[in-house]
Amino acid sequence: MSEPYQVVVADFIDDELQPERQVLGEIARVAALRAHSEDDLAGRIEQAHAVILYHEVSITRQTIERLERCKLIVRAGVGFDNVDHRFARQRDIPVATVPDYGSEEVADSAIGMMLALARGVHLFNSRLRAGQGPWSYSQAVPLTRLRGQVLGVVGLGRIGTAAALRGKALGMDVVFYDPLKPDGYDKAQGIRRVETLDELLGQSLAVTMHCPLTDETRHIIDAAAIARMPHGSYLVNTSRGAVVDTRAIPDAIASGQLAGAAIDVLEHEPPPDDDPLLVAWRDPDHPAHDRLIVNPHSAFYSEEGLMDIRVKTSEACRRALLGQPLRNVVN
Ligand code: NAI
């Protein structure tokens, strides 16, 4: 009998790999490498025929150069900024993503966090638990009725569209900025398109980020961008950490320019203890303590979504190993 293929799960998954084995069982051996940095992959990934990569490590040129027989790197997720896909293409290694496992969950999280900020839910909970202030709505004055307010969606892809639909259901006036979308999405969805990010920022009570991390979008929201938002507005980021320069957030909250912010994703995950954003968020005397929500890159997560992604990544590997047509290749 010929030697079975080898598939490795580089990071993040730390269990018996039951879903992966169910799909790949008879054709491949599957191993979880549980890497926390790219260096952890050295000596363990070189012989893999397919690599499943989550978001805790990056695969750069130095690793790709050592892959001897890899037929596919599959990013278990949507964004693929943590793999050098251009260099992989030079070596004839396709990189694929799984675009459709958690779009609704991320949109639910984004809108949920916006509601928690804009309805004062987070602020009341945080202050009352700490025994601060009166047992009264007055702690959050002024809150604005959401109906009719502008929700700005940056990036009208799968998740941005799902967020826009949710915003519409709340009666919000949804605008989007997405320079890569052809015309017509505004008409199809009954939302407004703006041509520049500044136009969106200038009118949005809440801005929700749903673009990928690229050279163009890195720090696309910085102190200057936040200054262009209306005083007392909200910022939600469930896209990629580096899309927002989070160093600007504590001061923006302290000055009231932002009435609140919600951050599911950070530039470095897990973040260092001295990350200025987290220092302000932990400090009971900083206004960010009550007005900033931080989540651990969990917006995608539901049991159903996690199972979807594990099965779909395994199916992608199976197709590659059996020489069948690949799907969702990005390079
Ligand atoms: P998508 O590819 O369907 O949509 C991205 C949209 O952003 C596209 O319409 C694209 O035209 C647009 N875009 C590209 N450059 C832009 C720019 N400079 N300005 C404005 N828009 C721009 O991707 P999907 O599925 O909607 O995911 C969006 C992002 O969400 C992903 O790139 C990923 O980084 C992030 N994500 C986060 C998760 C989490 O758990 N927090 C889970 C899944 C995805």
Side-chain angles (χ1 to χ4, degrees), residues 78 155 157-159 178 180 210 212 217 238-240 264 297 300:
V78 180
R158 290 170 293 263
I159 297 170
D178 189 328
L180 306 181
H210 299 295
T217 62
T238 57
S239 62
R240 277 291 178 273
D264 181 57
H297 197 146
F300 71 95

Side-chain angles (χ1 to χ4, degrees), residues 75 77-81 99-103 106 153-161 177-181 197 209-214 216-217 220 237-240 243 264-265 297-301:
R75 240 299 285 148
V78 180
F80 47 95
D81 45 90
D100 61 341
Y101 68 101
S103 312
V106 180
V153 175
V154 179
L156 195 78
R158 290 170 293 263
I159 297 170
T161 302
Y177 167 68
D178 189 328
L180 306 181
K181 277 279 173 212
L197 180 63
M209 304 304 296
H210 299 295
C211 55
L213 176 62
T214 63
E216 269 162 45
T217 62
I220 196 171
N237 185 18
T238 57
S239 62
R240 277 291 178 273
V243 164
D264 181 57
V265 281
H297 197 146
S298 50
F300 71 95
Y301 168 69

